[in-house]
Each structure stands twice: as C-alpha cells, then as structure tokens.
C-alpha cells in the first residue's frame, strides 16, 4: 500500500503501472575511474641494492669477528686464572687425600687382620700406574 | 669474619675461590717455578703420595704470596676480593677494582 501511495501516478489502473523508482547514475554519467597500474621505475638499481646489502653483511660479519676476538680474550683470561690456581688446589686436595688414605689403610688392616693371605696395604690393579679409588668415599661412616 | 675476607683474624690468608682468582695473575707469575715443578711431577706419576713435597712448596709459595699482597695493599686487595666474591669470579665485572689493585700492588 505504501509504495502505491508514494509512487502514485494519477490515473494508473493497477500497481503494475507504477512509474519506476531506481537508483541510477547522475545525468551525464559518472566520472572516469583510473584502474591501470602506475608503478614507477625510479629508485636504486638492482646492482645498487645488491652492493648495499652485501656491504652491510660484510661489515656485520667483520663486527662479529671483532666481538669474537674480544670474547676469546675474556675466556683466555679466565682459563689462565684457572691454570694458575690449579696447582695449589691440587696440592691441598693431595694432602687431604693422603691423610684419608692412611686412615683407610689402617682401617683395612684392622678389618682384615685375621684373614690369612691378605696383603693389607693396597692391592689394586696390575698395570703399575696409580689409579684413584673407584668407589665413592673411602670411609662413608665418617662422611 | 665474613665469607669475603681475604685474611682471618691473625693475618693468615684464606685461600677461598674469590681470593685465589683475584690474585691469580700474581700467582701465575710469581709462583710459576713451583707450579711447573708440581705439574711435571704430577704428569710423571699421578700418585698423590709421590708429589707431596712439591705440593707443599706450591702451598707455601702461594700462601706467602697472598700474605705479602695483603700486607702491601690491604684496602685494594680487600675491595677486589669483595668484588670477586660478589660477582662470583667474573673478571669482566670487576675491572675498576682490578685496575686499582694492580696499580697499588706490585707490577704484576
């Protein structure tokens, strides 16, 4: 009903005779729209880009090398300090180990004094070299 | 006696890790003969009972050196040892104290 009231044409016989109400272009048509690509050809050339990138890469790798040199020097300083204090630490540990070993040998002699063929002292390997004791602690009850 | 003291009450040097790394450069130069002798003995025979004498030489040299360093420049050495203790023996974080120590105490 509403459309017939709005689009009324005096003297129309039925709804099918209503005048058209359409959304259309303005008179004269729309303005032309550009849709073609416009990518300019200016800017650095391929060789320029390549040289810049490889130059940046080379400079970066050079900086990496310099940084590695510095880091290696720091590590060398740390290792040199460790090398310098290794003997005193080993000497202190040797003293402690020798006293513990003597106590352990006495304990072993005490435990095995009734066993006939036991050679008491140490009866480790046959190669002649000194090997550290293979078990955890020499006297676990003390530790 | 805090854990970062270089000497105990009677002036004896305590060889903690901070103290040893702080004076490592001095030890490497001044106790080099004893260290080398001890390492050669060890390479020959790893038995600890065989190298006890040379080990005692090393200990005597290093502890004497620590006491000597502490007597000559106590403040700088304590500062350096404290910094080493705080930063767990990182040389790069204690450069200031290291320079002060090496300037005050001997020429390495």
């Amino acid at each position: 009903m509403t459309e017939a009231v709005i689009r009324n044409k005096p003297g129309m016989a039925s709804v099918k005779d209503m005048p058209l109400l359409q959304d259309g272009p303005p008179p004269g048509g729309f303005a032309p729209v550009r849709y073609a690509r416009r990518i300019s050809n200016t800017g650095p050339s391929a060789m320029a880009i390549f040289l810049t990138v490889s130059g940046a890469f080379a400079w970066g790798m050079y900086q990496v090398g310099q940084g590695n040199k510095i880091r290696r020097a720091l590590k060398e300083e740390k290792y040199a300090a460790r090398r310098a204090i290794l003997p005193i630490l080993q000497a202190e540990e040797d003293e402690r180990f020798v006293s513990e070993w003597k106590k352990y040998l006495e304990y072993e002699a005490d435990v095995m004094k009734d066993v006939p063929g036991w050679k008491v002292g140490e009866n480790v390997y046959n190669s002649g070299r000194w090997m550290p004791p293979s078990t955890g602690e020499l006297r676990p009850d003390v530790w | 006696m805090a854990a970062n003291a270089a000497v105990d009450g009677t002036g004896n040097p305590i060889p903690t890790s901070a103290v040893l790394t702080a004076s490592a450069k001095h030890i490497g130069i001044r106790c080099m003969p004893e260290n080398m002798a001890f390492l050669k003995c060890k390479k020959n025979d790893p038995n600890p009972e065989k190298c006890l004498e040379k080990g005692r030489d090393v200990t005597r040299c290093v502890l004497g050196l620590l006491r000597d360093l502490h007597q000559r420049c106590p403040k700088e050495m304590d500062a350096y040892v404290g910094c080493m203790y705080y930063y767990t023996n990182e040389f790069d974080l204690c450069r200031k104290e290291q320079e002060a120590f090496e300037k005050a105490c001997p020429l390495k």
Side-chain angles (χ1 to χ4, degrees), chain A residues 25-61:
Chain A
F30 285 111
V33 169
R34 172 177 78 79
Y35 55 85
R37 289 167 36 145
R38 300 273 172 91
I39 300 182
S40 70
N41 256 341
T42 58
S45 68
M47 180 54 76
I49 295 178
F50 177 73
L51 287 179
T52 313
V53 167
S54 46
F57 173 75
W59 179 82
M61 289 310 292

Side-chain angles (χ1 to χ4, degrees), chain B residues 9-22:
Chain B
T10 62
N12 288 326
I14 315 173
T16 59
S17 77
V19 173
L20 285 178
T21 39

Side-chain angles (χ1 to χ4, degrees), chain A residues 86-87 90-91 93-95 97-98 130, chain B residues 35-52 54-55:
Chain A
L86 166 75
Q90 185 62 51
E93 168 61 21
D94 281 356
E95 293 273 347
F97 175 81
V98 163
W130 178 83
Chain B
N35 287 355
M36 283 296 152
F38 179 69
L39 292 176
K40 271 206 189 64
C41 171
K42 270 286 171 183
K43 191 164 157 185
N44 242 346
D45 184 3
N47 192 349
E49 286 166 358
K50 300 280 185 300
C51 294
L52 274 186
K54 299 207 165 50

Side-chain angles (χ1 to χ4, degrees), chain B residues 14-88:
Chain B
I14 315 173
T16 59
S17 77
V19 173
L20 285 178
T21 39
S23 36
K25 289 189 171 56
H26 295 261
I27 295 176
I29 293 185
R30 299 247 225 109
C31 285
M32 170 142 33
E34 285 87 353
N35 287 355
M36 283 296 152
F38 179 69
L39 292 176
K40 271 206 189 64
C41 171
K42 270 286 171 183
K43 191 164 157 185
N44 242 346
D45 184 3
N47 192 349
E49 286 166 358
K50 300 280 185 300
C51 294
L52 274 186
E53 247 332 291
K54 299 207 165 50
R56 288 194 191 111
D57 282 344
V58 168
T59 317
R60 206 180 314 131
C61 174
V62 170
L63 290 183
L65 172 62
L66 288 182
R67 179 197 299 270
D68 179 47
L69 286 178
H70 190 80
Q71 274 172 355
R72 279 206 252 180
C73 40
K75 279 204 200 4
E76 288 84 2
M77 185 175 183
D78 279 342
Y80 194 27
V81 165
C83 183
M84 275 290 165
Y85 173 76
Y86 187 69
Y87 286 118
T88 332

